[in-house]
Short mmCIF file of all heavy atoms in Angstrom, two decimals:
data_model
loop_
_atom_site.label_atom_id
_atom_site.label_comp_id
_atom_site.label_asym_id
_atom_site.label_seq_id
_atom_site.Cartn_x
_atom_site.Cartn_y
_atom_site.Cartn_z
N GLY A 1576 -48.85 3.56 -6.14
CA GLY A 1576 -49.18 3.86 -4.75
C GLY A 1576 -48.66 5.24 -4.35
O GLY A 1576 -48.21 6.02 -5.19
N SER A 1577 -48.71 5.54 -3.06
CA SER A 1577 -48.24 6.85 -2.60
C SER A 1577 -47.58 6.72 -1.22
O SER A 1577 -47.86 5.80 -0.47
CB SER A 1577 -49.40 7.85 -2.51
OG SER A 1577 -50.33 7.45 -1.53
N ILE A 1578 -46.68 7.67 -0.96
CA ILE A 1578 -45.98 7.75 0.33
C ILE A 1578 -46.10 9.19 0.83
O ILE A 1578 -45.80 10.12 0.08
CB ILE A 1578 -44.50 7.35 0.18
CG1 ILE A 1578 -44.39 5.90 -0.30
CG2 ILE A 1578 -43.75 7.55 1.49
CD1 ILE A 1578 -42.99 5.51 -0.76
N ASP A 1579 -46.51 9.38 2.07
CA ASP A 1579 -46.67 10.72 2.64
C ASP A 1579 -45.74 10.88 3.84
O ASP A 1579 -45.65 10.00 4.69
CB ASP A 1579 -48.12 10.96 3.08
CG ASP A 1579 -49.07 11.00 1.91
OD1 ASP A 1579 -49.18 12.08 1.30
OD2 ASP A 1579 -49.67 9.95 1.59
N ILE A 1580 -45.07 12.03 3.89
CA ILE A 1580 -44.14 12.32 5.00
C ILE A 1580 -44.64 13.57 5.73
O ILE A 1580 -44.90 14.60 5.09
CB ILE A 1580 -42.71 12.54 4.49
CG1 ILE A 1580 -42.25 11.31 3.70
CG2 ILE A 1580 -41.76 12.80 5.64
CD1 ILE A 1580 -40.89 11.45 3.06
N SER A 1581 -44.77 13.49 7.07
CA SER A 1581 -45.29 14.61 7.85
C SER A 1581 -44.56 14.69 9.18
O SER A 1581 -43.86 13.75 9.57
CB SER A 1581 -46.80 14.44 8.08
OG SER A 1581 -47.04 13.24 8.79
N THR A 1582 -44.71 15.83 9.87
CA THR A 1582 -44.09 16.00 11.19
C THR A 1582 -45.08 16.65 12.16
O THR A 1582 -46.05 17.30 11.73
CB THR A 1582 -42.84 16.90 11.11
OG1 THR A 1582 -43.23 18.19 10.62
CG2 THR A 1582 -41.78 16.31 10.22
N GLU A 1583 -44.84 16.45 13.47
CA GLU A 1583 -45.58 17.16 14.51
C GLU A 1583 -44.70 17.30 15.76
O GLU A 1583 -43.79 16.49 15.98
CB GLU A 1583 -46.87 16.42 14.84
CG GLU A 1583 -46.65 15.04 15.46
CD GLU A 1583 -47.96 14.43 15.96
OE1 GLU A 1583 -48.73 15.16 16.61
OE2 GLU A 1583 -48.20 13.24 15.68
N GLU A 1584 -44.94 18.34 16.52
CA GLU A 1584 -44.17 18.59 17.74
C GLU A 1584 -44.96 18.05 18.94
O GLU A 1584 -46.18 18.23 19.05
CB GLU A 1584 -43.92 20.08 17.92
CG GLU A 1584 -42.98 20.67 16.90
CD GLU A 1584 -42.66 22.13 17.17
OE1 GLU A 1584 -42.87 22.58 18.31
OE2 GLU A 1584 -42.23 22.81 16.24
N LYS A 1585 -44.23 17.40 19.87
CA LYS A 1585 -44.90 16.86 21.05
C LYS A 1585 -43.88 16.70 22.18
O LYS A 1585 -42.89 15.99 22.03
CB LYS A 1585 -45.54 15.51 20.72
CG LYS A 1585 -46.45 14.98 21.82
CD LYS A 1585 -47.17 13.73 21.36
CE LYS A 1585 -48.12 13.21 22.42
NZ LYS A 1585 -48.82 11.97 21.98
N ASN A 1586 -44.12 17.42 23.28
CA ASN A 1586 -43.29 17.33 24.48
C ASN A 1586 -41.80 17.54 24.20
O ASN A 1586 -40.95 16.77 24.65
CB ASN A 1586 -43.49 15.96 25.15
CG ASN A 1586 -44.94 15.75 25.60
OD1 ASN A 1586 -45.62 16.71 25.98
ND2 ASN A 1586 -45.41 14.52 25.52
N GLY A 1587 -41.51 18.57 23.43
CA GLY A 1587 -40.11 18.90 23.14
C GLY A 1587 -39.46 18.00 22.11
O GLY A 1587 -38.25 18.08 21.91
N MET A 1588 -40.22 17.11 21.50
CA MET A 1588 -39.68 16.20 20.48
C MET A 1588 -40.39 16.46 19.16
O MET A 1588 -41.57 16.85 19.13
CB MET A 1588 -39.88 14.73 20.88
CG MET A 1588 -39.30 14.36 22.24
SD MET A 1588 -37.50 14.36 22.27
CE MET A 1588 -37.17 12.78 21.48
N LEU A 1589 -39.67 16.24 18.05
CA LEU A 1589 -40.27 16.32 16.73
C LEU A 1589 -40.53 14.89 16.25
O LEU A 1589 -39.60 14.08 16.18
CB LEU A 1589 -39.34 17.04 15.74
CG LEU A 1589 -39.95 17.28 14.37
CD1 LEU A 1589 -41.01 18.38 14.44
CD2 LEU A 1589 -38.89 17.65 13.34
N ILE A 1590 -41.80 14.61 15.93
CA ILE A 1590 -42.17 13.27 15.47
C ILE A 1590 -42.30 13.30 13.95
O ILE A 1590 -43.06 14.08 13.38
CB ILE A 1590 -43.49 12.81 16.11
CG1 ILE A 1590 -43.33 12.73 17.64
CG2 ILE A 1590 -43.92 11.46 15.55
CD1 ILE A 1590 -44.61 12.45 18.38
N VAL A 1591 -41.52 12.44 13.28
CA VAL A 1591 -41.55 12.32 11.82
C VAL A 1591 -42.26 11.02 11.47
O VAL A 1591 -41.91 9.95 11.99
CB VAL A 1591 -40.12 12.31 11.23
CG1 VAL A 1591 -40.18 12.18 9.71
CG2 VAL A 1591 -39.36 13.56 11.64
N SER A 1592 -43.28 11.11 10.60
CA SER A 1592 -44.06 9.92 10.22
C SER A 1592 -44.00 9.72 8.72
O SER A 1592 -44.16 10.66 7.94
CB SER A 1592 -45.52 10.08 10.65
OG SER A 1592 -45.61 10.15 12.07
N ILE A 1593 -43.75 8.46 8.30
CA ILE A 1593 -43.70 8.10 6.88
C ILE A 1593 -44.80 7.06 6.65
O ILE A 1593 -44.72 5.93 7.14
CB ILE A 1593 -42.32 7.56 6.51
CG1 ILE A 1593 -41.25 8.63 6.76
CG2 ILE A 1593 -42.29 7.09 5.06
CD1 ILE A 1593 -39.83 8.16 6.56
N THR A 1594 -45.85 7.46 5.92
CA THR A 1594 -47.04 6.64 5.73
C THR A 1594 -47.07 6.13 4.29
O THR A 1594 -46.89 6.91 3.35
CB THR A 1594 -48.31 7.47 6.00
OG1 THR A 1594 -48.22 8.03 7.31
CG2 THR A 1594 -49.54 6.60 5.90
N ASP A 1595 -47.27 4.80 4.10
CA ASP A 1595 -47.34 4.24 2.74
C ASP A 1595 -48.66 3.51 2.54
O ASP A 1595 -49.37 3.18 3.50
CB ASP A 1595 -46.14 3.32 2.47
CG ASP A 1595 -46.11 2.09 3.38
OD1 ASP A 1595 -47.08 1.33 3.35
OD2 ASP A 1595 -45.11 1.91 4.10
N THR A 1596 -48.98 3.27 1.29
CA THR A 1596 -50.19 2.52 0.92
C THR A 1596 -49.79 1.12 0.47
O THR A 1596 -50.30 0.60 -0.51
CB THR A 1596 -50.95 3.25 -0.19
OG1 THR A 1596 -50.06 3.40 -1.33
CG2 THR A 1596 -51.41 4.61 0.25
N GLY A 1597 -48.82 0.55 1.20
CA GLY A 1597 -48.23 -0.73 0.81
C GLY A 1597 -48.98 -1.94 1.31
O GLY A 1597 -50.17 -1.88 1.66
N VAL A 1598 -48.25 -3.05 1.39
CA VAL A 1598 -48.89 -4.34 1.69
C VAL A 1598 -49.16 -4.52 3.17
O VAL A 1598 -49.95 -5.38 3.57
CB VAL A 1598 -47.99 -5.49 1.20
CG1 VAL A 1598 -47.85 -5.44 -0.31
CG2 VAL A 1598 -46.61 -5.42 1.85
N GLY A 1599 -48.52 -3.71 4.04
CA GLY A 1599 -48.75 -3.83 5.47
C GLY A 1599 -48.09 -5.07 6.08
O GLY A 1599 -47.40 -5.83 5.39
N MET A 1600 -48.29 -5.27 7.41
CA MET A 1600 -47.67 -6.40 8.13
C MET A 1600 -48.65 -6.99 9.14
O MET A 1600 -49.58 -6.31 9.59
CB MET A 1600 -46.40 -5.91 8.86
CG MET A 1600 -45.27 -5.49 7.97
SD MET A 1600 -43.86 -4.88 8.93
CE MET A 1600 -44.47 -3.26 9.39
N THR A 1601 -48.35 -8.22 9.52
CA THR A 1601 -49.11 -8.85 10.60
C THR A 1601 -48.57 -8.34 11.94
O THR A 1601 -47.47 -7.77 12.01
CB THR A 1601 -48.96 -10.37 10.54
OG1 THR A 1601 -47.58 -10.70 10.78
CG2 THR A 1601 -49.39 -10.91 9.18
N SER A 1602 -49.32 -8.57 13.00
CA SER A 1602 -48.88 -8.14 14.33
C SER A 1602 -47.60 -8.86 14.74
O SER A 1602 -46.73 -8.30 15.41
CB SER A 1602 -49.98 -8.40 15.36
OG SER A 1602 -50.33 -9.78 15.38
N GLU A 1603 -47.44 -10.13 14.33
CA GLU A 1603 -46.22 -10.89 14.66
C GLU A 1603 -45.01 -10.26 13.98
O GLU A 1603 -43.94 -10.13 14.58
CB GLU A 1603 -46.39 -12.34 14.20
CG GLU A 1603 -45.17 -13.21 14.57
CD GLU A 1603 -45.32 -14.64 14.05
OE1 GLU A 1603 -46.39 -14.96 13.47
OE2 GLU A 1603 -44.37 -15.41 14.21
N GLN A 1604 -45.18 -9.86 12.72
CA GLN A 1604 -44.07 -9.21 12.01
C GLN A 1604 -43.68 -7.90 12.67
O GLN A 1604 -42.50 -7.57 12.79
CB GLN A 1604 -44.46 -8.97 10.54
CG GLN A 1604 -44.49 -10.22 9.70
CD GLN A 1604 -44.98 -9.93 8.29
OE1 GLN A 1604 -46.00 -9.27 8.11
NE2 GLN A 1604 -44.27 -10.46 7.29
N VAL A 1605 -44.68 -7.14 13.11
CA VAL A 1605 -44.42 -5.86 13.76
C VAL A 1605 -43.63 -6.07 15.05
O VAL A 1605 -42.68 -5.33 15.35
CB VAL A 1605 -45.74 -5.11 14.05
CG1 VAL A 1605 -45.49 -3.89 14.93
CG2 VAL A 1605 -46.39 -4.70 12.74
N GLN A 1606 -43.99 -7.11 15.84
CA GLN A 1606 -43.33 -7.37 17.12
C GLN A 1606 -41.85 -7.74 16.93
O GLN A 1606 -41.00 -7.41 17.76
CB GLN A 1606 -44.05 -8.51 17.87
CG GLN A 1606 -45.41 -8.09 18.42
CD GLN A 1606 -46.15 -9.27 19.04
OE1 GLN A 1606 -45.65 -10.39 19.08
NE2 GLN A 1606 -47.37 -9.02 19.51
N ASN A 1607 -41.51 -8.42 15.85
CA ASN A 1607 -40.14 -8.89 15.63
C ASN A 1607 -39.31 -7.95 14.75
O ASN A 1607 -38.17 -8.26 14.41
CB ASN A 1607 -40.16 -10.28 14.97
CG ASN A 1607 -40.74 -11.33 15.89
OD1 ASN A 1607 -40.54 -11.28 17.11
ND2 ASN A 1607 -41.47 -12.27 15.33
N LEU A 1608 -39.90 -6.82 14.39
CA LEU A 1608 -39.31 -5.96 13.35
C LEU A 1608 -37.93 -5.43 13.73
O LEU A 1608 -37.02 -5.36 12.90
CB LEU A 1608 -40.25 -4.78 13.08
CG LEU A 1608 -40.14 -4.13 11.68
CD1 LEU A 1608 -40.33 -5.17 10.59
CD2 LEU A 1608 -41.19 -3.03 11.56
N PHE A 1609 -37.74 -5.01 15.00
CA PHE A 1609 -36.50 -4.35 15.41
C PHE A 1609 -35.59 -5.26 16.23
O PHE A 1609 -34.73 -4.79 16.97
CB PHE A 1609 -36.82 -3.08 16.21
CG PHE A 1609 -37.62 -2.07 15.44
CD1 PHE A 1609 -38.96 -1.88 15.69
CD2 PHE A 1609 -37.01 -1.32 14.46
CE1 PHE A 1609 -39.69 -0.95 14.98
CE2 PHE A 1609 -37.73 -0.38 13.74
CZ PHE A 1609 -39.09 -0.20 14.00
N LYS A 1610 -35.78 -6.60 16.15
CA LYS A 1610 -34.98 -7.54 16.94
C LYS A 1610 -33.91 -8.17 16.06
O LYS A 1610 -34.21 -8.75 15.01
CB LYS A 1610 -35.87 -8.63 17.53
CG LYS A 1610 -36.90 -8.09 18.53
CD LYS A 1610 -37.79 -9.19 19.05
CE LYS A 1610 -38.83 -8.64 20.04
NZ LYS A 1610 -39.74 -9.70 20.53
N ILE A 1611 -32.66 -8.05 16.52
CA ILE A 1611 -31.53 -8.55 15.73
C ILE A 1611 -31.50 -10.06 15.62
O ILE A 1611 -30.98 -10.63 14.66
CB ILE A 1611 -30.19 -8.01 16.30
CG1 ILE A 1611 -29.07 -8.27 15.31
CG2 ILE A 1611 -29.86 -8.65 17.63
CD1 ILE A 1611 -27.79 -7.53 15.62
N ASP A 1612 -32.08 -10.77 16.64
CA ASP A 1612 -32.05 -12.23 16.62
C ASP A 1612 -33.17 -12.82 15.76
O ASP A 1612 -33.30 -14.03 15.63
CB ASP A 1612 -32.15 -12.78 18.04
CG ASP A 1612 -33.40 -12.28 18.76
OD1 ASP A 1612 -33.93 -11.22 18.36
OD2 ASP A 1612 -33.84 -12.94 19.70
N LYS A 1613 -34.02 -11.97 15.21
CA LYS A 1613 -35.10 -12.43 14.33
C LYS A 1613 -34.79 -11.98 12.91
O LYS A 1613 -34.67 -10.78 12.64
CB LYS A 1613 -36.45 -11.83 14.75
CG LYS A 1613 -36.84 -12.15 16.18
CD LYS A 1613 -37.16 -13.62 16.38
CE LYS A 1613 -37.64 -13.90 17.81
NZ LYS A 1613 -37.96 -15.32 18.00
N ASN A 1614 -34.62 -12.89 12.01
CA ASN A 1614 -34.25 -12.56 10.63
C ASN A 1614 -35.52 -12.28 9.82
O ASN A 1614 -36.09 -13.16 9.20
CB ASN A 1614 -33.45 -13.71 10.02
CG ASN A 1614 -32.87 -13.31 8.66
OD1 ASN A 1614 -32.87 -12.14 8.31
ND2 ASN A 1614 -32.39 -14.31 7.92
N ILE A 1615 -35.97 -11.04 9.86
CA ILE A 1615 -37.20 -10.64 9.15
C ILE A 1615 -36.81 -10.08 7.80
O ILE A 1615 -36.23 -8.99 7.70
CB ILE A 1615 -37.98 -9.59 9.94
CG1 ILE A 1615 -38.30 -10.11 11.35
CG2 ILE A 1615 -39.27 -9.21 9.21
CD1 ILE A 1615 -39.16 -11.33 11.37
N SER A 1616 -37.07 -10.80 6.74
CA SER A 1616 -36.76 -10.32 5.39
C SER A 1616 -37.90 -10.71 4.46
O SER A 1616 -38.19 -11.88 4.28
CB SER A 1616 -35.44 -10.92 4.89
OG SER A 1616 -35.15 -10.46 3.60
N THR A 1617 -38.58 -9.72 3.90
CA THR A 1617 -39.75 -9.95 3.05
C THR A 1617 -39.47 -9.41 1.66
O THR A 1617 -38.88 -8.33 1.51
CB THR A 1617 -40.99 -9.24 3.63
OG1 THR A 1617 -41.11 -9.63 5.00
CG2 THR A 1617 -42.24 -9.61 2.88
N THR A 1618 -39.92 -10.13 0.65
CA THR A 1618 -39.73 -9.67 -0.73
C THR A 1618 -40.66 -8.49 -1.02
O THR A 1618 -41.82 -8.48 -0.62
CB THR A 1618 -40.02 -10.81 -1.72
OG1 THR A 1618 -39.18 -11.91 -1.39
CG2 THR A 1618 -39.75 -10.37 -3.14
N GLY A 1619 -40.15 -7.48 -1.75
CA GLY A 1619 -40.95 -6.30 -2.08
C GLY A 1619 -41.98 -6.58 -3.16
O GLY A 1619 -42.04 -7.67 -3.72
N THR A 1620 -42.77 -5.57 -3.47
CA THR A 1620 -43.85 -5.73 -4.45
C THR A 1620 -43.33 -5.96 -5.86
O THR A 1620 -44.07 -6.42 -6.72
CB THR A 1620 -44.77 -4.50 -4.44
OG1 THR A 1620 -43.96 -3.34 -4.69
CG2 THR A 1620 -45.47 -4.34 -3.11
N ASN A 1621 -42.08 -5.60 -6.11
CA ASN A 1621 -41.43 -5.88 -7.41
C ASN A 1621 -40.34 -6.93 -7.25
O ASN A 1621 -39.33 -6.91 -7.94
CB ASN A 1621 -40.84 -4.59 -8.02
CG ASN A 1621 -41.83 -3.92 -8.94
OD1 ASN A 1621 -43.00 -4.26 -8.96
ND2 ASN A 1621 -41.34 -2.97 -9.73
N ASN A 1622 -40.53 -7.80 -6.24
CA ASN A 1622 -39.56 -8.86 -5.92
C ASN A 1622 -38.21 -8.32 -5.49
O ASN A 1622 -37.18 -8.96 -5.68
CB ASN A 1622 -39.38 -9.81 -7.13
CG ASN A 1622 -40.65 -10.59 -7.44
OD1 ASN A 1622 -41.34 -11.07 -6.52
ND2 ASN A 1622 -40.98 -10.69 -8.72
N GLU A 1623 -38.18 -7.10 -4.88
CA GLU A 1623 -36.94 -6.57 -4.36
C GLU A 1623 -36.54 -7.39 -3.13
O GLU A 1623 -37.39 -7.76 -2.32
CB GLU A 1623 -37.08 -5.09 -3.94
CG GLU A 1623 -37.54 -4.18 -5.06
CD GLU A 1623 -39.04 -3.88 -4.98
OE1 GLU A 1623 -39.79 -4.80 -4.55
OE2 GLU A 1623 -39.45 -2.78 -5.33
N THR A 1624 -35.25 -7.64 -2.98
CA THR A 1624 -34.77 -8.43 -1.85
C THR A 1624 -33.98 -7.56 -0.90
O THR A 1624 -33.56 -6.46 -1.24
CB THR A 1624 -33.90 -9.60 -2.33
OG1 THR A 1624 -32.79 -9.05 -3.04
CG2 THR A 1624 -34.67 -10.54 -3.22
N GLY A 1625 -33.75 -8.05 0.33
CA GLY A 1625 -32.98 -7.29 1.32
C GLY A 1625 -32.53 -8.18 2.46
O GLY A 1625 -32.88 -9.35 2.54
N THR A 1626 -31.74 -7.64 3.37
CA THR A 1626 -31.22 -8.41 4.50
C THR A 1626 -32.16 -8.39 5.68
O THR A 1626 -32.00 -9.18 6.62
CB THR A 1626 -29.87 -7.83 4.94
OG1 THR A 1626 -30.08 -6.50 5.42
CG2 THR A 1626 -28.86 -7.82 3.82
N GLY A 1627 -33.08 -7.47 5.71
CA GLY A 1627 -33.97 -7.35 6.85
C GLY A 1627 -33.36 -6.63 8.03
O GLY A 1627 -33.93 -6.58 9.10
N LEU A 1628 -32.19 -6.03 7.84
CA LEU A 1628 -31.50 -5.40 8.97
C LEU A 1628 -31.45 -3.88 8.88
O LEU A 1628 -30.87 -3.22 9.74
CB LEU A 1628 -30.06 -5.95 9.06
CG LEU A 1628 -29.95 -7.45 9.38
CD1 LEU A 1628 -28.52 -7.90 9.28
CD2 LEU A 1628 -30.49 -7.74 10.76
N GLY A 1629 -32.01 -3.31 7.82
CA GLY A 1629 -31.98 -1.85 7.67
C GLY A 1629 -32.68 -1.14 8.80
O GLY A 1629 -32.21 -0.11 9.30
#
Side-chain angles (χ1 to χ4, degrees):
S1577 65
I1578 298 168
D1579 293 277
I1580 303 176
S1581 60
T1582 61
E1583 65 172 314
E1584 292 184 19
K1585 190 173 182 181
N1586 299 327
M1588 304 290 281
L1589 185 72
I1590 298 173
V1591 180
S1592 296
I1593 299 174
T1594 305
D1595 63 59
T1596 58
V1598 296
M1600 293 178 284
T1601 65
S1602 58
E1603 182 183 357
Q1604 286 176 312
V1605 171
Q1606 288 175 1
N1607 294 324
L1608 205 56
F1609 299 106
K1610 296 178 181 178
I1611 192 167
D1612 56 337
K1613 302 292 184 179
N1614 189 13
I1615 304 298
S1616 180
T1617 308
T1618 304
T1620 56
N1621 267 13
N1622 294 318
E1623 303 99 326
T1624 60
T1626 64
L1628 295 173

